[in-house]
Amino acid sequence: MPRRYVFWTVAALAVVAAAVQAWMLRWTCDDAFISFRYAQHFVDGHGLVFNLDPSEAPVEGYSNFSWTMWLALGAMLGFDHEGLTTWSIFWGVVCHAGVVFLLAKMAWRASNERAVVPIAACAYAAIHHAHSLAPAGLETALFVLLGTSMLHLVMAKPCRRKALLLGFLGVVCAMTRPDGGLFVAIAGLFVLYDAVRNRAPRLLLAYVMPFLLVFVPYLLWRHSFYGYWVPNTAFAKSAGDPLLGLGWSYVSGFFLCYYALLSAFVPLVWFALKKGDLLAQIQPGLGRRPWLVIAAFVLPYIFFVMWVGGDFMFGRFLLPVLPALLFGWDLACQRWRPMWLQPVIAGALVVLLCLRVEPKLDDARLPVSDNREISFMPIAGVPIRDLFHACGDYLQKLCDGLDVRLAIAGGHANIAFRSRVPVAVECSAGLTDAHIARLPQKHRRKVGHGKPRDPEYLEQRGVHFMLEQTYMLDEDPWREIWFASQPVPLPCSVVTWDRELMRELRRRDPAIQVVDFEQHLDAYIKAFPNKRKEEVAKDLAKFRRYYFNHNDDPQRLAKFEAFLK
């Protein structure tokens, strides 16, 4: 069989395997629902905002502008609300398969159409967490595809047309995730080198032009609309503070799990320091430049991941450089010549990558976890993701047309999106809230988490319910409320009691279990003879923030004030 047919048959099998695996592992990460909510509000005519609160300035609680706009396009085409999940999963799988196909194409061209097996394509198609994170509703697979595309164009000195394309890819990459700016800078250095060495300023101009035409206006719009040059998530995650301890654990844990990836650093270092092959002028893949490009894309990015502390999702921040790292094996086999090496190395990598040594990732309290695995963990026999779906749908019907305001942790973004409540304040990191994002970290045990709870702020925002059940219940057990969602009730805490709202909610669903606070106040007033003034004064301060500041009830308030005179 001709070599071409063997190569592309194996490549096709790798692409299909990657797509099928990703589709079988499809799910939607909680953070994806933040982008869903922004996209849906944009399509509904509210703008790129998370909350429909006229008193709140717009907050850029997403860091994936291009992906969010792609979601908005899906909503415009009819994939709105629940359909956004399908739209995001489909394109995540497409981008993931696209990465594998692009790696095969790069191997074929780098070998001058002489390769037998696409090594990097096969290896990347064997990485479980690449499959599981691609259909998670996030921009991960798109970002990997964009980074790999930029790598491909920088491998050889680009012409002006390719430099222009590289610039546009860089713009989209930087607008897909802020760390895409690192790839943009690295690619720009190679273009600058080529422009200076060949005295071709138009080459550099072609690369820069897309940034002047697209990215600069985008930055100006961002600042004018949101008031900042960077996303709110940069403040929420304290991106400027080094977290090398967490970062080292994140990077080392991933490479110990996928220990076969460590072998790719050997040819990378060896050939990056070695002179190119004599045939490099005819076949650029045999030269030194491809190795320098791979090193420039991989090593600074890994250091960046360590600097920011990695991510709370296992492997997500390292996936963008894995195609570049694995592609080194395709290049190495072109230098080593023996054809049998290609299928041997490809087969060994596939087997060893499948035999990963996965650490404990099924506990959300750990610094790093596998959110997909956690989302399928059962509560009362029902997976968590299905419970959250049901809770969100229940709240959407219950709160339809009402100004209900929720406080959520990051894991509750699913409920916030499905419930369609006008206001949801994200408390664990402040991803979508400017005030909480700038609070000092309570702890640094987990990236993107650890902001302290600010009860006064939530009360000022008029938040009614906190989806964290334990919120202030130790000292105020009367805050507890159970919404009668099925198949499992939703436990929450009441932040502020709105008399009219609570009456309407209980009229719509009498099965809601909550302490009637007006009756609680009446019982408290009757017990005045058994209470000390200091105790009543302390409790009244709580009752004001919880009830009296939000309801007109002069009779009961007068009884408290009379007792305290």
Side-chain angles (χ1 to χ4, degrees):
M1 182 181 293
R3 186 178 303 176
R4 177 189 297 269
Y5 295 148
V6 173
F7 180 92
W8 286 109
T9 298
V10 175
L13 290 174
V15 171
V16 171
V20 170
Q21 277 283 89
W23 184 256
M24 291 176 63
L25 293 172
R26 65 190 181 276
W27 65 297
T28 306
C29 172
D30 291 315
D31 278 11
F33 290 98
I34 294 177
S35 294
F36 290 3
R37 186 171 162 104
Y38 273 98
Q40 190 65 59
H41 283 170
F42 178 79
V43 173
D44 292 342
H46 304 296
L48 275 173
V49 296
F50 190 76
N51 290 322
L52 307 181
D53 184 353
S55 65
E56 181 187 24
V59 178
E60 189 179 4
Y62 56 88
S63 56
N64 51 4
F65 175 79
S66 63
W67 180 249
T68 300
M69 296 311 297
W70 189 252
L71 294 173
L73 175 63
M76 290 178 184
L77 295 176
F79 293 87
D80 56 346
H81 299 296
E82 181 63 29
L84 277 175
T85 301
T86 303
W87 176 267
S88 66
I89 289 174
F90 173 78
W91 286 107
V93 172
V94 169
C95 290
H96 180 56
V99 172
V100 177
F101 174 78
L102 180 57
L103 285 171
K105 180 180 177 182
M106 291 166 61
W108 184 247
R109 290 192 174 181
S111 68
N112 202 22
E113 301 185 0
R114 294 177 57 83
V116 178
V117 175
I119 300 173
C122 293
Y124 193 74
I127 298 177
H128 169 77
H129 287 91
H131 303 318
S132 68
L133 289 168
L138 291 169
E139 76 293 337
T140 307
L142 172 62
F143 188 66
V144 176
L145 179 59
L146 290 168
T148 307
S149 299
M150 294 183 70
L151 174 86
H152 173 46
L153 290 177
V154 179
M155 282 287 179
K157 182 178 77 68
C159 60
R160 272 187 288 171
R161 182 177 59 85
K162 288 188 176 180
L164 183 66
L165 176 59
L166 180 62
F168 274 111
L169 285 173
V171 167
V172 179
C173 190
M175 294 168 68
T176 300
R177 262 189 12 201
D179 41 315
L182 191 57
F183 292 148
V184 170
I186 292 166
L189 288 176
F190 282 94
V191 174
L192 176 62
Y193 171 79
D194 292 332
V196 171
R197 185 179 183 185
N198 296 281
R199 298 182 180 179
R202 292 184 180 181
L203 190 67
L204 182 61
L205 181 62
Y207 180 72
V208 173
M209 190 61 67
F211 294 92
L212 298 177
L213 294 178
V214 180
F215 197 73
V216 170
Y218 161 71
L219 280 180
L220 294 174
W221 167 81
R222 168 193 271 172
H223 189 269
S224 65
F225 189 69
Y226 292 115
Y228 295 93
W229 296 109
V230 296
N232 187 64
T233 52
F235 300 99
K237 296 183 178 181
S238 303
D241 300 331
L243 297 171
L244 290 171
L246 283 174
W248 172 252
S249 297
Y250 184 83
V251 172
S252 61
F254 180 80
F255 281 106
L256 288 175
C257 173
Y258 291 101
Y259 52 89
L261 292 172
L262 294 171
S263 63
F265 287 98
V266 177
L268 173 59
V269 174
W270 174 259
F271 287 112
L273 297 176
K274 190 177 180 181
K275 289 183 178 181
D277 192 280
L278 294 176
L279 298 176
Q281 295 296 326
I282 302 173
Q283 191 174 336
L286 299 177
R288 192 178 182 187
R289 177 179 175 126
W291 294 101
L292 295 177
V293 171
I294 291 175
F297 267 70
V298 172
L299 300 181
Y301 194 88
I302 291 178
F303 179 76
F304 160 78
V305 172
M306 286 195 291
W307 178 270
V308 299
D311 185 46
F312 68 94
M313 296 176 66
F314 183 76
R316 186 167 75 102
F317 270 24
L318 289 170
L319 289 181
V321 296
L322 297 189
L325 185 62
L326 289 168
F327 183 64
W329 280 116
D330 288 289
L331 295 176
C333 283
Q334 300 310 311
R335 296 285 292 272
W336 289 330
R337 305 295 184 186
M339 292 299 176
W340 59 267
L341 268 180
Q342 295 179 42
V344 168
I345 291 177
L349 284 173
V350 168
V351 171
L352 294 175
L353 288 170
C354 289
L355 297 175
R356 64 188 185 278
V357 182
E358 195 167 292
K360 180 177 175 60
L361 299 171
D362 60 352
D363 188 343
R365 296 169 297 181
L366 295 172
V368 181
S369 57
D370 186 329
N371 281 36
R372 183 185 183 279
E373 186 175 350
I374 292 171
S375 71
F376 283 93
M377 292 177 65
I379 295 180
V382 182
I384 292 176
R385 69 161 194 169
D386 294 340
L387 287 180
F388 279 14
H389 289 187
C391 290
D393 293 340
Y394 165 83
L395 289 177
Q396 193 275 323
K397 295 176 182 177
L398 177 69
C399 304
D400 186 34
L402 301 177
D403 185 21
V404 175
R405 301 183 172 216
L406 303 178
I408 63 171
H412 301 131
N414 183 339
I415 297 177
F417 171 72
R418 294 178 182 277
S419 66
R420 306 184 196 178
V421 294
V423 175
V425 180
E426 199 281 309
C427 295
S428 63
L431 294 173
T432 62
D433 189 275
H435 171 79
I436 295 176
R438 287 156 179 80
L439 292 176
Q441 291 285 133
K442 184 179 180 181
H443 62 76
R444 293 300 186 102
R445 295 191 297 270
K446 190 171 186 176
V447 174
H449 297 71
K451 297 291 184 180
R453 302 297 177 258
D454 189 345
E456 291 188 14
Y457 175 71
L458 297 181
E459 292 156 10
Q460 291 171 7
R461 290 293 305 273
V463 170
H464 301 113
F465 308 111
M466 164 66 86
L467 297 192
E468 287 183 332
Q469 183 187 9
T470 57
Y471 176 79
M472 299 184 72
L473 285 185
D474 288 342
E475 52 183 290
D476 304 328
W478 33 264
R479 292 180 181 270
E480 187 172 32
I481 182 171
W482 288 78
F483 289 102
S485 59
Q486 295 296 330
V488 176
L490 175 63
C492 301
S493 295
V494 180
V495 179
T496 60
W497 183 280
D498 184 315
R499 180 165 53 190
E500 298 303 322
L501 175 65
M502 293 303 298
R503 287 175 181 173
E504 177 60 20
L505 292 177
R506 296 167 76 187
R507 184 192 69 79
R508 294 185 180 190
D509 187 358
I512 294 175
Q513 299 178 31
V514 64
V515 174
D516 187 310
F517 197 70
E518 293 177 86
Q519 294 180 8
H520 178 78
L521 286 176
D522 292 337
Y524 191 99
I525 291 169
K526 287 182 180 179
F528 275 166
N530 301 321
K531 295 183 180 293
R532 295 178 291 107
K533 287 189 176 183
E534 295 81 3
E535 178 187 357
V536 173
K538 181 179 178 181
D539 288 341
L540 178 58
K542 292 183 182 180
F543 296 162
R544 285 183 186 275
R545 291 166 54 185
Y546 181 75
Y547 175 82
F548 288 114
N549 291 347
H550 309 280
N551 301 276
D552 185 20
D553 193 346
Q555 291 85 6
R556 290 191 177 97
L557 182 59
K559 292 178 181 179
F560 274 90
E561 292 174 340
F563 177 80
L564 293 174
K565 285 184 179 178

